[in-house]
Amino acid sequence: MSPVLQTTTTRDALVAEVRRRILSGELAPGEVLTENGLATTFGVARPTVRSALQVLVARHLVHAGGGRSLTVPVLTEDDVRDLFFVRTPLEVRAVREIVEKGLPLDRAEEFLVAMEALPATAGWAARVEAHTAFHVALVDCAGSARLSRIYPAVQEEMQLCLAQLHSAYPGPHDLAVEHRALLAVIAAGDADRACRAMSDHLSRAEARLTSSPSPHP
């Protein structure tokens, strides 16, 4: 029986489901994705599959190699470092903007509360989603439409990274405590201290991920 797809369009449903399988590890790094295979699995037409794969390639969740080969990306430690190279200045700048302008943190607080509500039994996928939602909300608090438009793409690749290196990811309680401490420093109103806290937070995350045992060195 084909999986049931429920969303606005069949293409969007297929994008969401393939994304879920990639981020959950059901589709392993390096696994080849074919139009025929996905069309058979989900019972949809090949043009729909082709369109969905184009979306996933644009979101960097599927890699277009030589010829017509499409695969689940294999992220290396260099990829992790490059992601943080892009991510860190964006988040630090957002924090400075928030503190110097006294902008409200209500949205970030809302998602932090959701993170704190995660049960001890929460799987890594739930933790990653909560973590991503918090950081996206925090960046949104800076009030920059362009930053809010480009930043989620960085987090999309971060989720892929965490899917492949999730053994380094903290448990629900540790995750919430760490981010509660970070938000408290930002809310305290000292811009330099807040920026250092964000930079240190991301440096620790990068170190944790690059030191994690990975089958794809």
XYZ file of all heavy atoms in Angstrom, residues 60-127:
526
model
N 18.863 21.902 -1.156
C 20.110 21.222 -0.796
C 19.883 19.970 0.049
O 20.776 19.551 0.790
C 21.065 22.185 -0.072
C 21.342 23.438 -0.846
N 22.128 23.451 -1.979
C 20.915 24.708 -0.655
C 22.191 24.685 -2.454
N 21.446 25.464 -1.677
N 18.700 19.385 -0.067
C 18.417 18.138 0.618
C 18.615 16.932 -0.285
O 18.594 15.789 0.181
C 16.987 18.149 1.167
C 16.740 19.160 2.289
C 15.273 19.168 2.681
C 17.608 18.858 3.498
N 18.773 17.187 -1.570
C 19.105 16.160 -2.552
C 20.246 16.701 -3.389
O 20.254 17.889 -3.746
C 17.886 15.799 -3.441
C 18.301 14.918 -4.606
C 16.813 15.114 -2.603
N 21.220 15.837 -3.666
C 22.402 16.260 -4.416
C 22.303 15.784 -5.862
O 22.033 14.611 -6.126
C 23.666 15.681 -3.775
C 24.914 15.958 -4.531
N 25.447 17.225 -4.664
C 25.740 15.127 -5.221
C 26.548 17.166 -5.388
N 26.739 15.908 -5.743
N 22.514 16.718 -6.778
C 22.540 16.379 -8.200
C 23.991 16.163 -8.608
O 24.775 17.113 -8.678
C 21.916 17.508 -9.019
N 24.352 14.916 -8.844
C 25.723 14.595 -9.222
C 25.905 14.614 -10.723
O 25.155 15.256 -11.461
N 26.934 13.901 -11.174
C 27.179 13.836 -12.609
C 26.059 13.101 -13.323
O 25.414 12.216 -12.761
N 25.817 13.471 -14.550
C 24.753 12.840 -15.321
C 23.400 13.154 -14.712
O 23.126 14.273 -14.324
N 22.552 12.135 -14.583
C 21.199 12.348 -14.042
C 21.069 11.752 -12.651
O 19.958 11.585 -12.148
C 20.181 11.717 -14.990
C 20.244 12.290 -16.400
C 19.213 11.679 -17.310
N 17.854 11.995 -16.903
C 16.765 11.549 -17.509
N 16.880 10.757 -18.568
N 15.561 11.887 -17.086
N 22.202 11.450 -12.012
C 22.181 10.813 -10.712
C 21.783 11.802 -9.615
O 22.321 12.904 -9.521
C 23.562 10.235 -10.393
O 23.598 9.718 -9.088
N 20.823 11.409 -8.783
C 20.396 12.204 -7.635
C 20.573 11.352 -6.381
O 20.162 10.191 -6.349
C 18.930 12.617 -7.771
C 18.597 13.570 -8.927
C 17.092 13.740 -9.041
C 19.247 14.924 -8.712
N 21.193 11.927 -5.361
C 21.463 11.176 -4.147
C 21.151 12.006 -2.913
O 21.055 13.236 -2.976
C 22.945 10.756 -4.071
O 23.768 11.933 -4.100
C 23.322 9.841 -5.237
N 21.021 11.319 -1.782
C 20.951 11.994 -0.492
C 22.359 12.507 -0.185
O 23.318 11.742 -0.257
C 20.489 11.024 0.614
C 20.483 11.725 1.969
C 19.114 10.465 0.287
N 22.518 13.789 0.128
C 23.862 14.331 0.357
C 24.594 13.629 1.502
O 23.983 13.183 2.472
C 23.607 15.803 0.708
C 22.260 16.103 0.133
C 21.484 14.828 0.245
N 25.899 13.549 1.355
C 26.768 13.055 2.413
C 27.556 14.249 2.930
O 28.397 14.798 2.220
C 27.731 11.965 1.889
C 28.660 11.505 3.015
C 26.957 10.791 1.304
N 27.268 14.676 4.150
C 27.934 15.845 4.702
C 29.205 15.443 5.445
O 29.223 14.465 6.185
C 27.002 16.598 5.647
C 25.752 17.204 5.010
C 24.977 18.013 6.040
C 26.095 18.076 3.821
N 30.259 16.205 5.247
C 31.542 15.961 5.890
C 31.773 16.994 6.996
O 31.001 17.945 7.153
C 32.673 16.073 4.871
O 32.739 17.439 4.417
C 32.422 15.155 3.670
N 32.854 16.841 7.732
C 33.199 17.832 8.748
C 33.443 19.195 8.105
O 33.131 20.234 8.700
C 34.430 17.380 9.531
C 34.141 16.239 10.487
C 35.294 15.965 11.428
O 36.322 16.671 11.326
O 35.159 15.060 12.270
N 34.001 19.204 6.900
C 34.205 20.483 6.200
C 32.864 21.157 5.910
O 32.751 22.388 5.982
C 34.974 20.267 4.898
C 36.453 20.000 5.134
O 36.946 20.315 6.239
O 37.123 19.489 4.215
N 31.854 20.366 5.572
C 30.519 20.929 5.342
C 29.967 21.543 6.632
O 29.361 22.623 6.605
C 29.551 19.841 4.845
C 29.869 19.371 3.442
O 30.166 20.220 2.589
O 29.821 18.150 3.209
N 30.171 20.860 7.743
C 29.702 21.374 9.031
C 30.361 22.712 9.328
O 29.707 23.689 9.690
C 30.000 20.372 10.164
C 29.625 20.983 11.520
C 29.229 19.070 9.947
N 31.677 22.759 9.157
C 32.401 24.005 9.432
C 31.925 25.130 8.519
O 31.806 26.286 8.944
C 33.904 23.778 9.270
C 34.502 22.842 10.317
C 36.017 22.820 10.265
N 36.546 21.881 11.249
C 36.886 20.626 10.987
N 36.747 20.135 9.757
N 37.353 19.837 11.939
N 31.646 24.797 7.267
C 31.198 25.823 6.325
C 29.809 26.332 6.702
O 29.516 27.531 6.574
C 31.193 25.261 4.904
C 31.050 26.350 3.854
O 31.700 27.405 3.996
O 30.283 26.152 2.894
N 28.946 25.438 7.175
C 27.620 25.858 7.629
C 27.719 26.850 8.784
O 27.027 27.871 8.808
C 26.803 24.636 8.064
C 26.081 23.873 6.951
C 25.567 22.536 7.473
C 24.926 24.705 6.411
N 28.597 26.575 9.728
C 28.762 27.494 10.852
C 29.469 28.780 10.430
O 29.220 29.845 11.010
C 29.498 26.810 12.005
C 28.602 25.948 12.839
C 28.447 24.598 12.568
C 27.881 26.493 13.892
C 27.608 23.800 13.328
C 27.027 25.709 14.665
C 26.893 24.356 14.386
N 30.309 28.691 9.415
C 30.959 29.886 8.871
C 29.913 30.866 8.349
O 30.040 32.089 8.499
C 31.903 29.474 7.735
C 32.530 30.619 7.001
C 33.532 31.382 7.584
C 32.121 30.939 5.712
C 34.119 32.448 6.899
C 32.687 31.994 5.024
C 33.691 32.755 5.622
N 28.845 30.335 7.758
C 27.752 31.165 7.248
C 26.779 31.521 8.367
O 26.331 32.674 8.484
C 27.002 30.424 6.122
C 25.767 31.212 5.680
C 27.929 30.192 4.935
N 26.470 30.564 9.204
C 25.430 30.729 10.208
C 25.821 31.699 11.324
O 25.006 32.538 11.739
C 25.118 29.358 10.803
C 24.107 29.371 11.914
C 23.957 28.000 12.542
N 23.041 28.052 13.666
C 22.821 27.035 14.483
N 23.433 25.881 14.286
N 21.982 27.174 15.495
N 27.039 31.585 11.818
C 27.439 32.349 13.006
C 27.310 33.863 12.837
O 26.686 34.529 13.686
C 28.859 31.962 13.444
O 28.868 30.566 13.787
C 29.314 32.778 14.639
N 27.870 34.466 11.777
C 27.730 35.925 11.672
C 26.278 36.390 11.535
O 25.928 37.476 12.011
C 28.548 36.284 10.428
C 28.751 35.012 9.694
C 28.728 33.927 10.702
N 25.419 35.573 10.918
C 24.012 35.942 10.788
C 23.343 36.001 12.163
O 22.612 36.952 12.477
C 23.280 34.941 9.898
C 23.707 34.859 8.431
C 22.896 33.787 7.705
C 23.553 36.196 7.733
N 23.580 34.989 12.974
C 22.911 34.942 14.277
C 23.499 35.960 15.250
O 22.763 36.566 16.038
C 22.971 33.530 14.840
C 22.150 32.538 14.019
C 21.863 31.253 14.746
O 21.365 31.300 15.889
O 22.144 30.184 14.174
N 24.807 36.149 15.193
C 25.413 37.144 16.084
C 24.920 38.544 15.729
O 24.597 39.354 16.605
C 26.950 37.061 16.012
C 27.595 38.236 16.753
C 27.443 35.737 16.603
N 24.814 38.830 14.440
C 24.315 40.141 14.020
C 22.856 40.322 14.419
O 22.442 41.420 14.820
C 24.470 40.309 12.505
C 24.099 41.707 12.018
C 25.087 42.741 12.553
N 24.731 44.112 12.215
C 23.928 44.899 12.940
N 23.374 44.411 14.056
N 23.675 46.132 12.587
N 22.074 39.262 14.304
C 20.672 39.337 14.720
C 20.569 39.649 16.212
O 19.753 40.478 16.633
C 19.958 38.025 14.404
N 21.400 39.012 17.010
C 21.387 39.251 18.456
C 21.753 40.693 18.774
O 21.117 41.352 19.604
C 22.344 38.265 19.167
C 22.646 38.724 20.590
C 21.741 36.869 19.179
N 22.770 41.220 18.111
C 23.161 42.617 18.360
C 22.019 43.561 18.009
O 21.730 44.513 18.741
C 24.424 42.972 17.565
C 24.913 44.407 17.847
C 26.304 44.656 17.316
N 27.310 43.885 18.010
C 27.839 44.207 19.179
N 27.426 45.308 19.816
N 28.759 43.454 19.740
N 21.343 43.300 16.908
C 20.215 44.135 16.493
C 19.098 44.100 17.539
O 18.519 45.126 17.903
C 19.693 43.654 15.141
C 18.632 44.533 14.511
C 19.200 45.790 13.865
O 20.431 46.013 13.929
O 18.405 46.572 13.309
N 18.801 42.901 18.014
C 17.740 42.733 19.009
C 18.069 43.508 20.286
O 17.233 44.255 20.819
C 17.558 41.232 19.337
C 16.944 40.499 18.136
C 16.682 41.047 20.575
C 17.053 38.989 18.224
N 19.296 43.344 20.777
C 19.662 43.959 22.061
C 19.784 45.470 21.935
O 19.253 46.225 22.767
C 20.967 43.343 22.595
C 21.396 44.058 23.885
C 20.791 41.849 22.851
N 20.480 45.941 20.900
C 20.703 47.379 20.773
C 19.411 48.149 20.532
O 19.288 49.315 20.943
C 21.717 47.652 19.652
C 23.133 47.204 20.018
C 24.163 47.568 18.963
O 23.757 47.916 17.823
O 25.362 47.500 19.276
N 18.434 47.516 19.885
C 17.165 48.188 19.621
C 16.085 47.835 20.645
O 14.965 48.346 20.567
C 16.672 47.857 18.211
C 17.543 48.464 17.113
C 16.919 48.248 15.747
C 17.732 48.947 14.655
N 17.129 48.755 13.314
N 16.440 46.978 21.595
C 15.463 46.593 22.607
C 14.250 45.896 22.028
O 13.117 46.105 22.495
N 14.461 45.054 21.024
C 13.345 44.385 20.352
C 12.804 43.236 21.205
O 13.548 42.596 21.948
C 13.803 43.858 18.984
C 14.299 44.933 18.004
C 14.883 44.293 16.752
C 13.169 45.885 17.641
N 11.504 42.987 21.124
C 10.897 41.935 21.952
C 11.366 40.537 21.546
O 11.661 40.271 20.379
C 9.393 42.108 21.704
C 9.291 42.806 20.388
C 10.503 43.694 20.295
N 11.410 39.653 22.537
C 11.851 38.270 22.334
C 10.697 37.286 22.507
O 10.920 36.096 22.700
C 12.968 37.935 23.320
C 14.304 38.636 23.070
C 15.188 38.560 24.313
C 15.016 38.005 21.871
N 9.465 37.785 22.409
C 8.292 36.943 22.673
C 8.257 35.692 21.797
O 7.927 34.599 22.278
C 7.006 37.743 22.451
C 6.879 38.912 23.412
O 7.757 39.069 24.280
O 5.904 39.672 23.287
N 8.572 35.870 20.527
C 8.498 34.731 19.597
C 9.522 33.660 19.963
O 9.221 32.468 19.981
C 8.730 35.233 18.169
C 8.522 34.202 17.076
C 7.072 33.894 16.868
N 6.868 33.089 15.675
C 5.829 32.299 15.494
N 4.892 32.224 16.406
N 5.698 31.594 14.386
N 10.748 34.083 20.285
C 11.770 33.127 20.699
C 11.372 32.443 22.003
O 11.571 31.230 22.170
C 13.116 33.828 20.843
N 10.806 33.210 22.918
C 10.355 32.650 24.194
C 9.289 31.584 23.972
O 9.295 30.526 24.634
C 9.802 33.774 25.073
C 9.144 33.309 26.358
C 10.112 32.687 27.352
O 11.326 32.998 27.277
O 9.670 31.885 28.181
N 8.387 31.835 23.044
C 7.318 30.874 22.745
C 7.887 29.523 22.324
O 7.444 28.461 22.796
C 6.434 31.441 21.633
C 5.355 30.512 21.136
C 4.603 31.082 19.929
O 4.647 32.312 19.718
O 3.980 30.287 19.205
N 8.898 29.554 21.455
C 9.461 28.293 20.970
C 10.405 27.656 21.985
O 10.581 26.436 21.991
C 10.151 28.505 19.619
C 9.170 28.632 18.488
C 8.789 29.870 18.008
C 8.588 27.496 17.934
C 7.858 29.994 16.976
C 7.659 27.601 16.914
C 7.287 28.845 16.424
N 10.991 28.477 22.850
C 11.805 27.915 23.927
C 10.921 27.158 24.911
O 11.279 26.071 25.390
C 12.585 29.013 24.641
C 13.471 28.563 25.802
C 14.440 27.466 25.377
C 14.235 29.749 26.368
N 9.756 27.705 25.221
C 8.807 27.016 26.108
C 8.408 25.671 25.499
O 8.303 24.655 26.211
C 7.568 27.897 26.366
C 6.460 27.097 27.040
C 7.950 29.102 27.225
N 8.211 25.648 24.186
C 7.879 24.382 23.512
C 9.037 23.395 23.627
O 8.824 22.190 23.820
C 7.543 24.651 22.049
N 10.260 23.895 23.528
C 11.429 23.037 23.684
C 11.493 22.473 25.104
O 11.780 21.290 25.308
C 12.708 23.827 23.375
C 13.967 22.985 23.348
S 15.486 24.001 23.269
C 15.243 24.891 21.721
N 11.212 23.330 26.079
C 11.247 22.896 27.480
C 10.162 21.869 27.785
O 10.290 21.082 28.729
C 11.096 24.118 28.389
C 12.321 25.027 28.373
C 12.100 26.348 29.090
O 10.937 26.827 29.129
O 13.086 26.905 29.607
N 9.113 21.876 26.986
C 8.006 20.941 27.207
C 8.267 19.559 26.600
O 7.474 18.632 26.814
C 6.718 21.516 26.625
N 9.362 19.410 25.874
C 9.661 18.104 25.289
C 9.848 17.065 26.396
O 10.558 17.320 27.377
C 10.948 18.165 24.456
C 10.889 18.862 23.100
C 12.296 18.940 22.510
C 9.963 18.125 22.138
N 9.244 15.899 26.240
C 9.428 14.863 27.265
C 10.833 14.270 27.181
O 11.519 14.384 26.155
C 8.374 13.810 26.889
C 8.183 13.985 25.410
C 8.341 15.469 25.158
N 11.254 13.633 28.254
C 12.578 13.010 28.288
C 12.716 11.939 27.219
O 13.825 11.613 26.783
C 12.843 12.422 29.667
N 11.583 11.398 26.787
C 11.600 10.327 25.782
C 11.607 10.864 24.349
O 11.584 10.084 23.400
C 10.364 9.432 25.957
O 9.185 10.251 25.921
C 10.413 8.692 27.292
N 11.624 12.184 24.191
C 11.574 12.765 22.844
C 12.734 12.268 21.994
O 13.879 12.236 22.449
C 11.600 14.288 22.931
N 12.428 11.875 20.772
C 13.457 11.417 19.845
C 14.267 12.589 19.308
O 13.902 13.757 19.473
N 15.351 12.249 18.636
C 16.226 13.321 18.153
C 15.524 14.180 17.119
O 15.771 15.386 17.034
C 17.532 12.750 17.604
C 17.391 12.125 16.252
C 17.178 10.827 15.964
C 17.425 12.806 14.993
N 17.063 10.645 14.612
C 17.221 11.839 13.995
C 17.608 14.133 14.629
C 17.189 12.165 12.645
C 17.581 14.449 13.274
C 17.371 13.467 12.302
N 14.629 13.604 16.315
C 13.943 14.388 15.287
C 13.103 15.499 15.919
O 13.104 16.641 15.447
C 13.064 13.488 14.428
N 12.411 15.181 17.015
C 11.612 16.191 17.713
C 12.514 17.260 18.308
O 12.184 18.455 18.309
C 10.779 15.530 18.805
N 13.673 16.855 18.824
C 14.609 17.813 19.399
C 15.159 18.757 18.329
O 15.282 19.969 18.539
C 15.755 17.079 20.096
C 15.356 16.461 21.424
C 16.506 15.711 22.051
N 16.583 14.338 21.569
C 17.714 13.636 21.505
N 18.848 14.177 21.855
N 17.697 12.400 21.090
